[in-house]
Amino acid sequence: MTAASTPTPPGATEGTTPEAPEETATGGGVRTAGTAGTAGTDERLVHRSLLQRMLGRPELGAVVGAIAVFVVFSVVADSFLRASSLSTVLYASSTLGIMAVPVALLMIGGEFDLSTGVMVTSSSLVSSMFSYQMTANVWVGVGVSLLVTLGIGLFNGYMLVRTGLPSFIITLGTFLMLTGLNLGLTKLISGTVSTKTISDMEGFASAKALFASELTIGPADIQVTVVWWLVLVALATWLLLRTKAGNWIFAVGGGQHTARAVGVPVARTKIGLYLGVALGAWISGQHLLFNYDVVQSGEGVGNELIYIAAAVIGGCLLTGGYGSAVGAAVGAFIFGMTSKGIVYAQWEPDWFKFFLGAMLLVAVLLNAYIRKRAEANR
Amino acid sequence: MDSFRNSSAWPPSRRRTGTPVARAATAVLLLVSVALTGCSATGGKRAEEARDAAVSGGAGVDTPRWKIAMVSHSGEGDTFWDIVQSGAKQAAAKDNIDFHYSHDKEAGRQAQLVKAAVDNKVDGLIVSLAKPEAMKGALRKAEKAGIPVVTINSGQDQSKEYGALAHIGQDEKIAGEAVGRELNERGRKKAVCLLHEQGNVGHEERCRGVRETFDGEVRDLHADGTNMPAVESSLEAELQSDRDIDTVVTLGAPFAPTAVKAAEGAGSKAETVTFDLNDQAARGLKDGSIGFAVDQQPYLQGYEAVDLLWAERYNANMLGGGKPVLTGPQILTKKDASTLQKYTKRGTR
């Protein structure tokens, strides 16, 4: 097994399918993405049928679940299948999905981030307040916000690799600190708990076009976040399946000691994953800001668990080393469908969380079942 | 762990007689018999049913069945919005309206819910504008679809600008000023304003209103309203550290009994007064532990909103003349308490 230890830029693939990291003792189900198999004879050359390959994909359970949810709401809610309704559902899914994708990558890398929900709010607060207080073009605020948010991600990742504490603890600390900072700093700087309006400032229109515009495609208005979401999914999928960095992510998630032993830059990979999450938080944060113009400082708490749930429904394992970006996207889509479908179906909204919880469990059980079957058939 | 999985160790004790099924059946029988014999002569479900029977009625109009949706910024399990809903439902029953309620405390998601209601092609829309800027786009969408909108509870300054036909609610600052004046009348000198929801602009307005008219000193105290013990301990600490505080102003009825407890715990003479009302607060008014309550009559906010949309649809009527229709403040004291208790128990005040 020769894992390249010299970093090459992503994209400089060697033209072959990625090499599988070694099976580890963690039982995290380490496999290369897509192709699979226990180490032995060169499993990459074994021909497997399309069906077998399908069954081996982490997102299969989520896709089945998504189809089921879609069918249910199509039957019980007349208005669910309208173009305008579907674009609302897609929009709701995209606002989650933009975060669920980098969170899934992080979880494949075997780590956790509880600060994601409030990080989104922090990102939009920084952007808005910097532009307003400095009377700068809003693009300046957007840039500063990117740096600050990446800084938070860097802090998470750096603390993790330096201290060796579980990421759960570190990001729990970050989560609490950010929650307080969001409220405290906003009150200190703006004098109120929400930011001031910046819609009359220079650059707002162009930033809104990038982060929060609507594209009319036929009968439906598609929000630009849907495009961001799909681009992120494509990018993350390519990263996971076609680059060396993707292999590193699977390897550190499968077992970092083994990964380190074969020359994977563990620290750099993990910090990179946290930076990816921060990037997602920045995109979501800018969308919130430019879509609604004013940001409430207390929001975002609790969303981190929704992102994690979307990733888990999409087939990510909590133990790391297994999962996919497409799965996380489908998980977010299930959430979007359920949260809005309940409204279209005109059910009592009090039941919403119950459905989500039940769905999470069913999805995870289904994923585990399919994974077992797929591994047995190999 | 493994010792439990090992069959000889499970079940842990063999001394009990009978199979598990027989044991379970016995337990169920026991429970049922206790349930049947141990009835309460007061309160409970039976009393509630008797009360409901006294107030229920059928629809009173012969208009077609229109669909009205309400989308609020409430969190989950919020008593205040429960009362708004019961008002709306009562009006819906009377006006033959198909009424739907949804809510989300996050501004962005609330806007999505408004859009979903518009997609559903409702005949009328009721929205609370706690975070007005976030609702702008969704309300424009409603306007484009030709759906009449009434805003309730919060956002009276933006209501008209966003194309709503009327706003029904309480001006928070006016309500705060009413509290300040009432405190002057009672000769108070130093008050604490307990803000239980950081980030709620309406709450800040209330405290600002109190400060405006109150001749004494007002101090703000922030506490996390989702964590009652934390609210109690912060307030207790505040009252212990300053013996001159003679009034605690809570911004929500559920916090009034907590404030009373905190004052007792701190051995402070401070009297609690509260915004809004619930059953416990009504009881507090009655036994004198709560000085007065300032009610914004949430029941009316829901009831009037549905009724107005019905009248608009039926007869093109609208209330308010472009100004907010105020449902408060209504100052409630000990003398109102016994009447109120009837209704707070029912969940309509």
Side-chain angles (χ1 to χ4, degrees), chain A residues 64-126:
Chain A
V64 173
I67 293 168
V69 171
F70 188 87
V71 169
V72 165
F73 282 119
S74 306
V75 172
V76 296
D78 322 335
S79 45
F80 186 73
L81 286 176
R82 281 188 203 136
S84 61
S85 312
L86 288 177
S87 73
T88 305
V89 166
L90 268 181
Y91 170 59
S93 312
S94 70
T95 49
L96 281 174
I98 286 174
M99 283 308 287
V101 169
V103 165
L105 254 54
L106 179 71
M107 284 172 70
I108 295 169
E111 298 299 343
F112 228 60
D113 194 345
L114 293 178
S115 64
T116 48
V118 281
M119 202 193 291
V120 170
T121 310
S122 303
S123 156
S124 50
L125 288 171
V126 169

Side-chain angles (χ1 to χ4, degrees), chain A residues 79 82 84-85 88 91-92 95 183 187 193 223 292 294 296 299-300 303 340 343-344 346 348-350 353, chain B residues 67 76 100-102 105-109 111-113 115-116 119-121 131 133-134 198-200 204:
Chain A
S79 45
R82 281 188 203 136
S84 61
S85 312
T88 305
Y91 170 59
T95 49
L183 292 165
K187 184 98 187 195
V193 287
Q223 284 270 2
Y292 302 125
V294 168
Q296 304 285 332
E299 291 197 341
N303 287 350
K340 299 299 166 277
V343 178
Y344 294 121
Q346 307 182 344
E348 275 288 338
D350 300 349
K353 287 269 163 68
Chain B
K67 194 159 44 168
E76 271 137 18
H100 299 285
Y101 177 70
S102 57
K105 61 181 187 300
E106 291 232 343
R109 287 205 294 258
Q112 288 172 19
L113 290 172
K115 283 195 184 118
D119 295 337
N120 249 348
K121 298 208 165 72
K131 290 110 183 185
E133 294 81 3
Q198 269 186 316
N200 187 317
E204 308 223 341

